[in-house]
Amino acid sequence: MAGTLVKICGISTLETLAATVGAGASHVGFVHFAKSPRHLSLADAAMLRRQVPDHVKAVLLLVNPDPALLAEAVRTIAPDVVQFHGAEPPETLARFRAETGIEAWRAMAVRDAESLAKVAAFRGAADRVLLDAPATALPGGNGTAFDWSLLAGWQAPLAWGLAGGLTPANVADAIRLTGAPLVDTSSGVERGPGIKDVDKIAAFCKAARL
């Protein structure tokens, strides 16, 4: 689909950040969640964030942050977007947007049609929802996909993106089948847990725009 937005999440080095920007990604994600192999300290995330050009949006991923952490993270990193990747209710995102003016995304696990029905609760509270595979040991970055056929005929109540199990090999099909306006990958462009591969990043961005 022409104009598909591309987010590469879990960037942790200057080299892979440069590769992501150079490949034409629209969004780059930094993870602050200690259990993730992609975890960055706030200081390291801030260092990388300063290298993100203005035409690329910096996304900070947090999981059920308490108000103090959320405030500190936003102050330290100055992200364009905060991606809430836990069980945060719509009210949390709505309050965050109202207080900061920063985009708020909410990742949502899709198991069945009932899961999709829950997306509507975030209309007016989130700027975008990311439809992801159900969590396993970690809330994201597990390399698994959900059944994309669930999206056939789905009328999205707000802006959305597709995540979970996307790779350079399947992202073009995923976009064709779902009409996703944004695709998000993390483990799908890695050569090991938390270790991004610059060639896979380039291949993913190219495939997403075919």
Side-chain angles (χ1 to χ4, degrees):
M1 178 181 293
T4 305
L5 301 174
V6 177
K7 173 172 170 273
I8 307 294
C9 197
I11 292 297
S12 59
T13 68
L14 287 169
E15 179 191 24
T16 53
L17 174 58
T20 296
V21 172
S26 57
H27 295 74
V28 56
F30 306 120
V31 176
H32 183 71
F33 180 57
K35 294 180 181 180
S36 171
R38 303 161 193 94
H39 170 69
L40 291 173
S41 68
L42 295 183
D44 286 344
M47 180 273 293
L48 290 172
R49 193 271 177 270
R50 288 193 291 271
Q51 306 305 313
V52 179
D54 290 343
H55 69 277
V56 177
K57 288 193 174 184
V59 182
L60 173 62
L61 186 155
L62 298 170
V63 180
N64 299 318
D66 62 46
L69 171 60
L70 181 57
E72 181 186 6
V74 167
R75 184 173 60 251
T76 303
I77 297 168
D80 297 302
V81 181
V82 171
Q83 177 179 325
F84 293 86
H85 212 101
E88 302 89 353
E91 297 77 27
T92 295
L93 276 71
R95 183 168 56 250
F96 172 78
R97 291 172 72 210
E99 292 176 353
T100 67
I102 295 171
E103 273 190 60
W105 295 4
R106 173 65 145 77
M108 301 191 71
V110 178
R111 295 176 178 81
D112 47 32
E114 186 178 341
S115 303
L116 287 174
K118 295 177 181 177
V119 171
F122 286 86
R123 183 170 48 210
D127 292 280
R128 186 183 300 272
V129 293
L130 281 179
L131 306 181
D132 202 350
T136 53
L138 293 171
N142 297 299
T144 56
F146 65 89
D147 181 1
W148 297 330
S149 69
L150 290 169
L151 298 177
W154 182 58
Q155 298 296 312
L158 71 160
W160 65 285
L162 183 67
L166 295 176
T167 70
N170 69 13
V171 67
D173 282 341
I175 293 168
R176 178 177 55 81
L177 290 169
T178 68
L182 177 145
V183 288
D184 182 351
T185 190
S186 187
S187 61
V189 290
E190 291 179 347
R191 60 176 182 266
I195 304 171
K196 293 290 186 286
D197 184 295
V198 295
D199 293 331
K200 289 182 178 180
I201 289 171
F204 185 91
C205 291
K206 181 179 179 180
R209 295 202 158 90
L210 291 178

